[in-house]
Amino acid sequence: MSSGAIETLNDLLRDALANRPRPDMFRFKREGRWQEVSSAEFGERVRRASQGLVSLGVQPGDRVAILSENRLEWAIADMAVLGAAAVDVPIYPTLLPEQIAYILRDSGPRVAFCSTREQAEKLLSVRERVPSLEHIVTFDPVDRAGLLPLPKLEQLGQVRIGEHPQDYDERAGRVVRDDLATIIYTSGTTGDPKGVMLTHDNLVQNVLNIGHVVEIGPSDSCLSFLPLSHVFERTVGYYFMVHRGVQINYAESIEAVPQNMLEVRPTVVVSVPRLYEKIYARVMSMAAAGSPAKRRIFAWAKEVGREVVARKLSGKPLGLGLRMQHKLADALVFAKLRARTGGRIRFFASGGAPLSKEIAEFFYSAGLTILEGYGLTETSPVISVNTPERLRFGSVGPPIPNVEVRIAEDGEILTRSRSVMKGYYNKPEATAEVLVDGWFHTGDIGRLDEDGFLYITDRKKDIIVTAGGKNIAPQPTENRLKLNKYIAEAALIGDRRKYVVALIVPDFEELEKLAAELGLETGDRRRLLDDPRIREAFQRAIDEVNVHLPRYEQIKKFALLDRPFSIESGELTPTLKVKRRVIEEKFRDVIDSLYGG
């Protein structure tokens, strides 16, 4: 391997530290103030932590778990594990002890990093069931026996560096591209999670191939808030940013993202559609609450924006009149939206679930481009992405360079590239099912247009087949429903049933406003949802969607749920995708009542 080649994640870090050093590589907020960490400090802490792991007996190929929220120490632990030629196993901090125990028993780590007292308690509660686990390293100080604080691990590493000054570089340098880097357990909308084995080459190739079509660099700054345990944030929001010398800012929490965005003023944000849906819903709600004059101005600006988008994307000139109208619409409406994102956004990236075309077009008209892409954990993850130069709303863009895509006879999307996983850990049969002749079977249904843009129709497993034999893709309808300000989440049901019904989670904040307008009490949520006037508002929302659907796809009945779907209760994946099987099981009585028994 030449000294300049990037073939492993260790090479990627070495290259970034040597060629794109910065005094503020990472930033995080502590006690109300943003703190900066330089490339040099990060590199030293990685080196010490990595040698600390070696002092604990970690050997090449050993597994090391990371159970933590997004923070600087996550990145230190990750690079330390890789530098020790070991394999890391990220675990979502939202998981329950039983789910964590399953992953630990399956992967067999010798060491586990964790963030807080809460996460340490989870590990301690399952430790006896995980015979491989020898050490638990905590990021925060936790006063409990059997725990090793991260600073102590780094001290052990410092001692070893004094005794073996070349060991870290030699060990990291012996890692080759086909070595396993990580086992990522899919959150799984069905069944037990599977451990996806990704090599250094899988991840590095994805980073390099994204770089051929998405241009960012040291003048950029990103806000990190999606879970680093998920491959989307890890590859795109972390490794890709490190590779390009972009400053990474860790959000305090998901709830703090709007405020942190104003403070950090990022140029790039990587997110799932839920963030954009929330921003859009808030803008629509504020517009609806304005005076009649403000509502008319907003409706006019939205229409002007739609016309501008249509002309820009079809390559037609705007014309002087439309340009002047858009300039006025921008001053009155769109500039305020940009200001709420910090005012410096070059582009948003969206993945993990389908993004509504209407939302993407609205953001674009406001000068906020959302680059929607597509991928899976098994593909490291990016398969395709829209770019500022090649953009088509409703699609997930063309395949990125060096990634092949074809559509099987049944409509399933197949892909082949160096970013496709090695296989599922301890599951050769499951691996053989999805990897056939080098092609990975995604389980998604889609099509390629004449210009090579990929469109996703739905998950193969999510397709509803009605009792009448009609095939229905639920996600497009669910996304249309969620455009309504009163609807936070929707799940369509109808497999092997006579007709389609919907389970609806209201946006309770908007619902309370409506209740106040109607003079209704909000203390008893169930009673409120059963009120005919409230149900009428939701029926109108459903009627507005039904009018665009063929009769067999129309929603015949609906139920309003009195609590949100959540990750903790198992109804959502950590990237906020609905787990249909879980929902059908948990709300079986509600569903049965909609079918009359």
Side-chain angles (χ1 to χ4, degrees):
M1 181 183 79
S2 68
S3 60
I6 299 177
E7 295 192 343
T8 69
L9 293 166
N10 296 331
D11 297 336
L12 184 140
L13 177 62
R14 182 208 65 213
D15 171 72
L17 297 181
N19 299 319
R20 284 168 297 285
R22 56 184 307 153
D24 54 358
M25 182 179 185
F26 294 95
R27 293 174 78 233
F28 60 93
K29 203 171 180 184
R30 181 179 290 161
E31 295 175 357
R33 293 185 61 185
W34 287 92
Q35 316 280 327
E36 295 180 351
V37 175
S38 69
S39 305
E41 182 184 343
F42 179 71
E44 276 307 307
R45 291 196 65 185
V46 167
R47 181 182 293 262
R48 291 198 300 268
S50 187
Q51 286 291 282
L53 289 172
V54 175
S55 297
L56 296 181
V58 171
Q59 299 293 318
D62 280 350
R63 273 80 60 212
V64 177
I66 305 175
L67 174 66
S68 170
E69 305 76 14
N70 286 23
R71 52 191 287 173
L72 173 69
E73 292 85 355
W74 201 107
I76 291 169
D78 171 58
M79 286 298 185
V81 173
L82 300 174
V87 178
D88 63 28
V89 182
I91 302 175
Y92 291 102
T94 51
L95 293 186
L96 301 170
E98 197 53 49
Q99 297 167 306
I100 292 167
Y102 174 87
I103 292 171
L104 294 176
R105 283 199 303 269
D106 193 57
S107 59
R110 294 185 67 180
V111 179
F113 287 96
C114 66
S115 53
T116 59
R117 172 179 288 278
E118 179 192 353
Q119 304 302 343
E121 295 290 353
K122 289 182 190 177
L123 288 177
L124 290 170
S125 73
V126 302
R127 190 173 194 169
E128 288 183 3
R129 288 182 276 162
V130 187
S132 67
L133 189 57
E134 298 167 7
H135 304 279
I136 297 173
V137 181
T138 61
F139 297 158
D140 288 350
V142 181
D143 187 19
R144 282 289 303 271
L147 302 177
L148 179 66
L150 180 59
K152 285 279 178 64
L153 180 74
E154 291 185 44
Q155 285 172 17
L156 288 174
Q158 189 61 56
V159 171
R160 184 174 171 82
I161 289 167
E163 296 167 353
H164 307 279
Q166 300 305 313
D167 188 62
Y168 169 79
D169 292 324
E170 289 172 1
R171 196 175 287 254
R174 282 198 297 270
V175 174
V176 296
R177 71 186 199 187
D178 290 331
D179 284 346
L180 196 57
T182 189
I183 304 171
I184 300 178
Y185 282 79
T186 59
S187 47
T189 53
T190 58
D192 280 332
K194 295 190 285 283
V196 176
M197 295 188 287
L198 298 179
T199 65
H200 283 260
D201 190 50
N202 291 154
L203 292 156
V204 166
Q205 286 301 309
N206 210 245
V207 166
L208 298 179
N209 290 332
I210 297 166
H212 291 312
V213 290
V214 177
E215 189 52 53
I216 59 173
S219 61
D220 284 300
S221 169
C222 77
L223 183 65
S224 172
F225 54 87
L226 288 186
L228 278 162
S229 311
H230 190 271
V231 72
F232 181 38
E233 178 67 19
R234 186 163 169 189
T235 298
V236 181
Y238 167 33
Y239 293 146
F240 184 51
M241 302 298 171
V242 167
H243 173 56
R244 288 308 188 90
V246 176
Q247 178 193 74
I248 297 175
N249 300 270
Y250 291 114
E252 294 170 273
S253 65
I254 290 287
E255 294 74 30
V257 165
Q259 181 58 36
N260 289 166
M261 212 178 274
L262 291 173
E263 296 164 351
V264 169
R265 302 182 64 236
T267 61
V268 181
V269 169
V270 177
S271 183
V272 290
R274 196 73 193 109
L275 173 74
Y276 312 122
E277 289 167 1
K278 281 187 170 181
I279 293 173
Y280 181 82
R282 184 60 56 89
V283 169
M284 293 297 128
S285 176
M286 288 173 65
S291 66
K294 283 185 176 178
R295 288 202 296 273
R296 283 196 297 274
I297 289 169
F298 183 84
W300 167 80
K302 198 177 173 195
E303 197 51 49
V304 168
R306 188 177 288 125
E307 179 63 23
V308 167
V309 170
R311 286 180 173 267
K312 275 187 177 179
L313 294 183
S314 62
K316 295 177 183 173
L318 295 188
L320 180 61
L322 185 57
R323 274 207 310 273
M324 295 301 290
Q325 286 185 66
H326 191 239
K327 196 170 181 181
L328 181 59
D330 191 76
L332 294 173
V333 176
F334 299 139
K336 294 170 187 172
L337 176 56
R338 289 198 303 277
R340 292 182 65 173
T341 66
R344 292 203 307 159
I345 293 287
R346 287 181 52 227
F347 61 81
F348 289 105
S350 182
L355 175 70
S356 159
K357 184 180 177 184
E358 184 173 335
I359 290 176
E361 289 179 341
F362 176 74
F363 271 72
Y364 188 75
S365 70
L368 294 167
T369 303
I370 302 177
L371 304 180
E372 186 177 7
Y374 166 67
L376 300 95
T377 306
E378 291 90 340
T379 57
S380 301
V382 182
I383 292 173
S384 66
V385 68
N386 281 283
T387 67
E389 294 74 33
R390 296 195 71 196
L391 188 63
R392 195 159 291 178
F393 296 122
S395 85
V396 289
I400 61 175
N402 305 312
V403 172
E404 297 176 79
V405 169
R406 66 182 173 89
I407 309 297
E409 285 185 17
D410 65 355
E412 184 175 6
I413 299 164
L414 313 183
T415 185
R416 182 167 66 181
S417 74
R418 280 169 64 179
S419 287
V420 171
M421 68 169 181
K422 192 173 182 177
Y424 295 119
Y425 192 64
N426 292 335
K427 285 183 166 57
E429 297 86 1
T431 301
E433 279 177 26
V434 296
L435 278 175
V436 183
D437 299 327
W439 288 90
F440 175 69
H441 290 239
T442 64
D444 287 315
I445 303 294
R447 63 181 176 85
L448 286 162
D449 72 10
E450 64 280 3
D451 297 317
F453 283 79
L454 181 62
Y455 292 78
I456 311 298
T457 312
D458 219 299
R459 286 292 293 168
K460 200 171 177 179
K461 289 174 183 172
D462 285 349
I463 296 291
I464 292 170
V465 182
T466 65
K470 298 288 190 181
N471 283 22
I472 299 170
Q475 285 185 340
T477 301
E478 289 165 350
N479 283 342
R480 283 195 203 105
L481 286 168
K482 288 191 289 184
L483 290 175
N484 186 282
K485 67 178 181 177
Y486 296 125
I487 299 176
E489 196 62 74
L492 260 57
I493 309 292
D495 200 45
R496 298 185 297 280
R497 308 269 198 170
K498 292 179 184 176
Y499 50 84
V500 175
V501 301
L503 300 182
I504 293 190
V505 176
D507 182 315
F508 291 106
E509 191 177 325
E510 290 296 332
L511 188 65
E512 287 182 6
K513 291 179 191 173
L514 175 62
E517 288 171 21
L518 297 171
L520 298 173
E521 290 290 330
T522 58
D524 184 336
R525 189 176 273 182
R526 184 68 265 163
R527 190 173 172 186
L528 177 65
L529 294 175
D530 290 337
D531 188 283
R533 288 164 290 182
I534 294 295
R535 288 190 61 82
E536 186 184 334
F538 285 93
Q539 185 63 61
R540 280 198 300 271
I542 284 169
D543 291 344
E544 287 167 10
V545 170
N546 274 345
V547 77
H548 301 290
L549 298 173
R551 184 173 292 276
Y552 67 87
E553 284 192 33
Q554 289 178 357
I555 299 161
K556 298 293 189 291
K557 296 182 181 181
F558 68 94
L560 300 177
L561 305 181
D562 57 12
R563 66 168 181 83
F565 297 146
S566 73
I567 297 169
E568 290 74 18
S569 57
E571 296 138 356
L572 297 178
T573 71
T575 50
L576 308 181
K577 282 186 282 209
V578 166
K579 291 188 177 183
R580 294 181 191 278
R581 243 185 231 178
V582 174
I583 283 168
E584 287 193 34
E585 191 58 44
K586 285 201 170 189
F587 297 98
R588 183 174 298 281
D589 291 348
V590 176
I591 294 166
D592 286 347
S593 72
L594 294 173
Y595 289 101

